[in-house]
Amino acid sequence: MRRLVLDDWHDAEASRVEAEAARLADSLPLTFGVATRQPPDRLRPLLEAVTLTLAAPRVSARTRELVPVHDPLVACDELARLVACRPRTSLALGQLLRQTPRLDTLQGLAAEAAAYSMLLGGTEFASWLADRGTLRAAPEDGPLVHVRRENDQLSIQLDRPQRRNALNFRMREELFEALELAFVDGTIDRVELDGAGPVFCSGGDLSEFGTAADLVAAYLVRLDRAPWRLIDRLRDRVTVRVRGAAVGAGVEMAAFAGRLVSSPGAFFQLPEVAMGLVPGAGGTVSVPRRIGRWRAAWMMLSGARVEAGTALDWGLVDEIDHDHER
């Protein structure tokens, strides 16, 4: 991991800035920029080339390449510590995020699924699995996704509140089938997706992590039966309503929607890197589209929670609905 103090580059010649930006864009290691002052416009090539830039609160938060933090130097040290815990996963994520924003949805999902499947066979994921121990899911009766049609609107609800709507294989299949109905029926003009109980979706079901026997088959299934791909295709018709939390797959698929509405107390979090994985539900495609790859990298590498207000400022959500909390 490298650190680039942007303050030291304010008076640098344009040719030197361009040369350094080209070098960083073509390098494998992650590079974290640090800015305690507003970088001048001519440093934009550097801002775009680094993995992300941590910036003091007084620095403009309107620039998507900047991640506002209380103390950039302290935050950089903490991020470096987290990366050191999962160095291979972090490097894979850094390279993946340089690709996916430039690709169309299917190509981006294919790149993400390939990286995810590769890391399933890696030592960092194996270490996380060993620390987690064995989890067994209790049998569940009845549908995990409820669908209701009313005139031109299709309402879809994740209904596994006892597991915080964790996305297991069966729920994913039921969600795919529900969205497929909207995809083939042109008379459905609106699709509303939410979750039963206090949490929209807590991410993938941890009891199913590490159970794939064939990683190539898992890669193909992740592409072919991806509900988030259908959300993207239907995006102009889809509204997702998040209450409580959208973690991992929850925020990844929600970010594909044309409209994402949050309750005021909700938070958004991408914890996969700490598990030795990259996001696997389209997050390296959907989240950078909304907030830029630099803030997406920060969310994924740090695993930090993003509160609803910040999510709105960044464009991760489109609206905060104060009635949705009730």
Side-chain angles (χ1 to χ4, degrees), residues 169-195:
F169 177 80
R170 185 155 73 90
M171 176 183 274
R172 190 176 69 208
E173 284 294 305
E174 292 180 22
L175 179 59
F176 184 90
E177 291 171 3
L179 291 164
E180 196 172 38
L181 174 61
F183 185 69
V184 300
D185 188 343
T187 66
I188 297 174
D189 292 333
R190 294 177 296 157
V191 178
E192 295 258 346
L193 173 62
D194 68 2

mmCIF file of all heavy atoms in Angstrom, residues 169-195:
data_model
loop_
_atom_site.group_PDB
_atom_site.id
_atom_site.type_symbol
_atom_site.label_atom_id
_atom_site.label_comp_id
_atom_site.label_asym_id
_atom_site.label_seq_id
_atom_site.Cartn_x
_atom_site.Cartn_y
_atom_site.Cartn_z
ATOM 1 N N PHE A 169 -29.779 -19.208 -0.819
ATOM 2 C CA PHE A 169 -29.979 -19.653 -2.195
ATOM 3 C C PHE A 169 -31.465 -19.664 -2.558
ATOM 4 O O PHE A 169 -31.854 -19.211 -3.634
ATOM 5 C CB PHE A 169 -29.382 -21.052 -2.378
ATOM 6 C CG PHE A 169 -29.610 -21.624 -3.754
ATOM 7 C CD1 PHE A 169 -28.816 -21.238 -4.820
ATOM 8 C CD2 PHE A 169 -30.631 -22.535 -3.980
ATOM 9 C CE1 PHE A 169 -29.035 -21.756 -6.099
ATOM 10 C CE2 PHE A 169 -30.854 -23.062 -5.246
ATOM 11 C CZ PHE A 169 -30.050 -22.669 -6.309
ATOM 12 N N ARG A 170 -32.308 -20.153 -1.656
ATOM 13 C CA ARG A 170 -33.731 -20.251 -1.975
ATOM 14 C C ARG A 170 -34.367 -18.868 -2.119
ATOM 15 O O ARG A 170 -35.152 -18.635 -3.032
ATOM 16 C CB ARG A 170 -34.472 -21.071 -0.895
ATOM 17 C CG ARG A 170 -35.942 -21.309 -1.229
ATOM 18 C CD ARG A 170 -36.455 -22.540 -0.532
ATOM 19 N NE ARG A 170 -36.636 -22.375 0.887
ATOM 20 C CZ ARG A 170 -37.780 -21.953 1.458
ATOM 21 N NH1 ARG A 170 -38.819 -21.627 0.704
ATOM 22 N NH2 ARG A 170 -37.876 -21.855 2.770
ATOM 23 N N MET A 171 -34.012 -17.938 -1.252
ATOM 24 C CA MET A 171 -34.554 -16.585 -1.377
ATOM 25 C C MET A 171 -34.094 -15.936 -2.673
ATOM 26 O O MET A 171 -34.873 -15.256 -3.351
ATOM 27 C CB MET A 171 -34.145 -15.721 -0.179
ATOM 28 C CG MET A 171 -34.605 -14.269 -0.306
ATOM 29 S SD MET A 171 -34.050 -13.210 1.052
ATOM 30 C CE MET A 171 -35.364 -13.506 2.238
ATOM 31 N N ARG A 172 -32.847 -16.165 -3.036
ATOM 32 C CA ARG A 172 -32.332 -15.589 -4.273
ATOM 33 C C ARG A 172 -33.103 -16.112 -5.482
ATOM 34 O O ARG A 172 -33.441 -15.356 -6.397
ATOM 35 C CB ARG A 172 -30.844 -15.902 -4.417
ATOM 36 C CG ARG A 172 -30.158 -15.156 -5.555
ATOM 37 C CD ARG A 172 -28.679 -15.443 -5.572
ATOM 38 N NE ARG A 172 -28.410 -16.831 -5.953
ATOM 39 C CZ ARG A 172 -27.338 -17.520 -5.557
ATOM 40 N NH1 ARG A 172 -26.465 -16.962 -4.744
ATOM 41 N NH2 ARG A 172 -27.155 -18.757 -5.953
ATOM 42 N N GLU A 173 -33.403 -17.412 -5.484
ATOM 43 C CA GLU A 173 -34.164 -18.003 -6.584
ATOM 44 C C GLU A 173 -35.587 -17.445 -6.639
ATOM 45 O O GLU A 173 -36.099 -17.131 -7.714
ATOM 46 C CB GLU A 173 -34.204 -19.530 -6.442
ATOM 47 C CG GLU A 173 -32.915 -20.209 -6.842
ATOM 48 C CD GLU A 173 -32.634 -20.044 -8.332
ATOM 49 O OE1 GLU A 173 -33.497 -20.408 -9.155
ATOM 50 O OE2 GLU A 173 -31.552 -19.528 -8.663
ATOM 51 N N GLU A 174 -36.216 -17.307 -5.478
ATOM 52 C CA GLU A 174 -37.580 -16.766 -5.441
ATOM 53 C C GLU A 174 -37.602 -15.306 -5.874
ATOM 54 O O GLU A 174 -38.529 -14.864 -6.564
ATOM 55 C CB GLU A 174 -38.175 -16.926 -4.040
ATOM 56 C CG GLU A 174 -38.445 -18.374 -3.649
ATOM 57 C CD GLU A 174 -39.042 -18.503 -2.259
ATOM 58 O OE1 GLU A 174 -39.625 -17.520 -1.750
ATOM 59 O OE2 GLU A 174 -38.918 -19.589 -1.663
ATOM 60 N N LEU A 175 -36.582 -14.551 -5.484
ATOM 61 C CA LEU A 175 -36.493 -13.154 -5.900
ATOM 62 C C LEU A 175 -36.275 -13.062 -7.405
ATOM 63 O O LEU A 175 -36.883 -12.216 -8.083
ATOM 64 C CB LEU A 175 -35.358 -12.461 -5.143
ATOM 65 C CG LEU A 175 -35.108 -10.993 -5.490
ATOM 66 C CD1 LEU A 175 -36.359 -10.148 -5.242
ATOM 67 C CD2 LEU A 175 -33.929 -10.442 -4.683
ATOM 68 N N PHE A 176 -35.437 -13.936 -7.947
ATOM 69 C CA PHE A 176 -35.209 -13.953 -9.389
ATOM 70 C C PHE A 176 -36.516 -14.212 -10.137
ATOM 71 O O PHE A 176 -36.834 -13.532 -11.118
ATOM 72 C CB PHE A 176 -34.173 -15.025 -9.737
ATOM 73 C CG PHE A 176 -33.802 -15.070 -11.199
ATOM 74 C CD1 PHE A 176 -32.755 -14.305 -11.687
ATOM 75 C CD2 PHE A 176 -34.510 -15.870 -12.087
ATOM 76 C CE1 PHE A 176 -32.408 -14.339 -13.030
ATOM 77 C CE2 PHE A 176 -34.187 -15.918 -13.431
ATOM 78 C CZ PHE A 176 -33.126 -15.148 -13.907
ATOM 79 N N GLU A 177 -37.284 -15.191 -9.669
ATOM 80 C CA GLU A 177 -38.548 -15.529 -10.335
ATOM 81 C C GLU A 177 -39.551 -14.379 -10.248
ATOM 82 O O GLU A 177 -40.285 -14.111 -11.208
ATOM 83 C CB GLU A 177 -39.124 -16.799 -9.724
ATOM 84 C CG GLU A 177 -38.301 -18.050 -10.044
ATOM 85 C CD GLU A 177 -38.750 -19.265 -9.264
ATOM 86 O OE1 GLU A 177 -39.750 -19.149 -8.500
ATOM 87 O OE2 GLU A 177 -38.118 -20.325 -9.408
ATOM 88 N N ALA A 178 -39.587 -13.687 -9.113
ATOM 89 C CA ALA A 178 -40.504 -12.551 -8.962
ATOM 90 C C ALA A 178 -40.130 -11.423 -9.920
ATOM 91 O O ALA A 178 -40.998 -10.829 -10.578
ATOM 92 C CB ALA A 178 -40.485 -12.056 -7.517
ATOM 93 N N LEU A 179 -38.856 -11.124 -10.018
ATOM 94 C CA LEU A 179 -38.409 -10.060 -10.918
ATOM 95 C C LEU A 179 -38.557 -10.464 -12.382
ATOM 96 O O LEU A 179 -38.826 -9.626 -13.246
ATOM 97 C CB LEU A 179 -36.952 -9.715 -10.615
ATOM 98 C CG LEU A 179 -36.708 -9.013 -9.274
ATOM 99 C CD1 LEU A 179 -35.237 -9.077 -8.889
ATOM 100 C CD2 LEU A 179 -37.191 -7.564 -9.328
ATOM 101 N N GLU A 180 -38.409 -11.759 -12.641
ATOM 102 C CA GLU A 180 -38.579 -12.252 -14.006
ATOM 103 C C GLU A 180 -40.006 -12.020 -14.485
ATOM 104 O O GLU A 180 -40.240 -11.741 -15.668
ATOM 105 C CB GLU A 180 -38.223 -13.733 -14.069
ATOM 106 C CG GLU A 180 -37.989 -14.263 -15.459
ATOM 107 C CD GLU A 180 -37.447 -15.675 -15.437
ATOM 108 O OE1 GLU A 180 -37.881 -16.470 -14.571
ATOM 109 O OE2 GLU A 180 -36.606 -15.997 -16.287
ATOM 110 N N LEU A 181 -40.978 -12.120 -13.567
ATOM 111 C CA LEU A 181 -42.365 -11.847 -13.915
ATOM 112 C C LEU A 181 -42.513 -10.422 -14.422
ATOM 113 O O LEU A 181 -43.175 -10.173 -15.441
ATOM 114 C CB LEU A 181 -43.261 -12.073 -12.687
ATOM 115 C CG LEU A 181 -44.735 -11.692 -12.831
ATOM 116 C CD1 LEU A 181 -45.401 -12.513 -13.924
ATOM 117 C CD2 LEU A 181 -45.464 -11.884 -11.498
ATOM 118 N N ALA A 182 -41.902 -9.475 -13.738
ATOM 119 C CA ALA A 182 -41.973 -8.075 -14.174
ATOM 120 C C ALA A 182 -41.239 -7.875 -15.488
ATOM 121 O O ALA A 182 -41.637 -7.049 -16.317
ATOM 122 C CB ALA A 182 -41.379 -7.171 -13.096
ATOM 123 N N PHE A 183 -40.188 -8.633 -15.706
ATOM 124 C CA PHE A 183 -39.401 -8.479 -16.927
ATOM 125 C C PHE A 183 -40.171 -8.935 -18.163
ATOM 126 O O PHE A 183 -40.086 -8.314 -19.230
ATOM 127 C CB PHE A 183 -38.099 -9.269 -16.793
ATOM 128 C CG PHE A 183 -37.164 -9.099 -17.939
ATOM 129 C CD1 PHE A 183 -36.517 -7.890 -18.169
ATOM 130 C CD2 PHE A 183 -36.921 -10.144 -18.807
ATOM 131 C CE1 PHE A 183 -35.653 -7.728 -19.233
ATOM 132 C CE2 PHE A 183 -36.056 -9.993 -19.878
ATOM 133 C CZ PHE A 183 -35.421 -8.783 -20.081
ATOM 134 N N VAL A 184 -40.947 -10.010 -18.014
ATOM 135 C CA VAL A 184 -41.667 -10.544 -19.186
ATOM 136 C C VAL A 184 -43.046 -9.931 -19.356
ATOM 137 O O VAL A 184 -43.658 -10.065 -20.419
ATOM 138 C CB VAL A 184 -41.780 -12.089 -19.099
ATOM 139 C CG1 VAL A 184 -40.407 -12.720 -19.053
ATOM 140 C CG2 VAL A 184 -42.617 -12.522 -17.907
ATOM 141 N N ASP A 185 -43.576 -9.275 -18.321
ATOM 142 C CA ASP A 185 -44.922 -8.700 -18.381
ATOM 143 C C ASP A 185 -44.809 -7.183 -18.559
ATOM 144 O O ASP A 185 -44.556 -6.446 -17.609
ATOM 145 C CB ASP A 185 -45.697 -9.035 -17.102
ATOM 146 C CG ASP A 185 -47.166 -8.626 -17.175
ATOM 147 O OD1 ASP A 185 -47.521 -7.811 -18.048
ATOM 148 O OD2 ASP A 185 -47.953 -9.128 -16.346
ATOM 149 N N GLY A 186 -45.027 -6.728 -19.776
ATOM 150 C CA GLY A 186 -44.903 -5.302 -20.062
ATOM 151 C C GLY A 186 -45.991 -4.447 -19.464
ATOM 152 O O GLY A 186 -45.883 -3.209 -19.477
ATOM 153 N N THR A 187 -47.057 -5.065 -18.904
ATOM 154 C CA THR A 187 -48.120 -4.280 -18.288
ATOM 155 C C THR A 187 -47.774 -3.882 -16.861
ATOM 156 O O THR A 187 -48.517 -3.123 -16.238
ATOM 157 C CB THR A 187 -49.456 -5.053 -18.291
ATOM 158 O OG1 THR A 187 -49.348 -6.207 -17.440
ATOM 159 C CG2 THR A 187 -49.814 -5.500 -19.706
ATOM 160 N N ILE A 188 -46.678 -4.403 -16.333
ATOM 161 C CA ILE A 188 -46.213 -3.999 -14.999
ATOM 162 C C ILE A 188 -45.327 -2.777 -15.159
ATOM 163 O O ILE A 188 -44.218 -2.855 -15.690
ATOM 164 C CB ILE A 188 -45.452 -5.144 -14.302
ATOM 165 C CG1 ILE A 188 -46.378 -6.337 -14.060
ATOM 166 C CG2 ILE A 188 -44.848 -4.657 -12.978
ATOM 167 C CD1 ILE A 188 -45.663 -7.565 -13.499
ATOM 168 N N ASP A 189 -45.838 -1.638 -14.719
ATOM 169 C CA ASP A 189 -45.112 -0.375 -14.882
ATOM 170 C C ASP A 189 -44.244 -0.024 -13.682
ATOM 171 O O ASP A 189 -43.304 0.774 -13.810
ATOM 172 C CB ASP A 189 -46.107 0.773 -15.119
ATOM 173 C CG ASP A 189 -46.801 0.652 -16.460
ATOM 174 O OD1 ASP A 189 -46.214 0.056 -17.378
ATOM 175 O OD2 ASP A 189 -47.938 1.146 -16.573
ATOM 176 N N ARG A 190 -44.564 -0.586 -12.508
ATOM 177 C CA ARG A 190 -43.824 -0.238 -11.295
ATOM 178 C C ARG A 190 -43.520 -1.502 -10.499
ATOM 179 O O ARG A 190 -44.378 -2.366 -10.352
ATOM 180 C CB ARG A 190 -44.619 0.740 -10.429
ATOM 181 C CG ARG A 190 -44.836 2.117 -11.058
ATOM 182 C CD ARG A 190 -45.697 2.987 -10.157
ATOM 183 N NE ARG A 190 -47.057 2.431 -10.014
ATOM 184 C CZ ARG A 190 -47.866 2.686 -8.993
ATOM 185 N NH1 ARG A 190 -47.464 3.449 -8.000
ATOM 186 N NH2 ARG A 190 -49.082 2.175 -8.973
ATOM 187 N N VAL A 191 -42.308 -1.551 -9.969
ATOM 188 C CA VAL A 191 -41.894 -2.646 -9.100
ATOM 189 C C VAL A 191 -41.379 -2.037 -7.804
ATOM 190 O O VAL A 191 -40.502 -1.166 -7.826
ATOM 191 C CB VAL A 191 -40.791 -3.508 -9.740
ATOM 192 C CG1 VAL A 191 -40.354 -4.612 -8.783
ATOM 193 C CG2 VAL A 191 -41.265 -4.095 -11.065
ATOM 194 N N GLU A 192 -41.943 -2.481 -6.674
ATOM 195 C CA GLU A 192 -41.510 -2.005 -5.350
ATOM 196 C C GLU A 192 -40.909 -3.179 -4.601
ATOM 197 O O GLU A 192 -41.534 -4.236 -4.474
ATOM 198 C CB GLU A 192 -42.695 -1.439 -4.564
ATOM 199 C CG GLU A 192 -43.320 -0.202 -5.170
ATOM 200 C CD GLU A 192 -42.886 1.070 -4.457
ATOM 201 O OE1 GLU A 192 -42.319 0.969 -3.348
ATOM 202 O OE2 GLU A 192 -43.130 2.160 -5.007
ATOM 203 N N LEU A 193 -39.686 -2.994 -4.117
ATOM 204 C CA LEU A 193 -38.998 -4.043 -3.369
ATOM 205 C C LEU A 193 -38.655 -3.536 -1.983
ATOM 206 O O LEU A 193 -38.040 -2.479 -1.833
ATOM 207 C CB LEU A 193 -37.716 -4.454 -4.111
ATOM 208 C CG LEU A 193 -36.775 -5.441 -3.392
ATOM 209 C CD1 LEU A 193 -37.460 -6.773 -3.139
ATOM 210 C CD2 LEU A 193 -35.496 -5.636 -4.215
ATOM 211 N N ASP A 194 -39.060 -4.300 -0.950
ATOM 212 C CA ASP A 194 -38.684 -3.952 0.416
ATOM 213 C C ASP A 194 -38.478 -5.233 1.213
ATOM 214 O O ASP A 194 -38.508 -6.338 0.662
ATOM 215 C CB ASP A 194 -39.710 -3.019 1.069
ATOM 216 C CG ASP A 194 -41.061 -3.692 1.318
ATOM 217 O OD1 ASP A 194 -41.207 -4.901 1.021
ATOM 218 O OD2 ASP A 194 -41.975 -3.013 1.821
ATOM 219 N N GLY A 195 -38.266 -5.091 2.509
ATOM 220 C CA GLY A 195 -38.029 -6.246 3.363
ATOM 221 C C GLY A 195 -38.955 -6.246 4.564
ATOM 222 O O GLY A 195 -39.253 -5.190 5.126
#
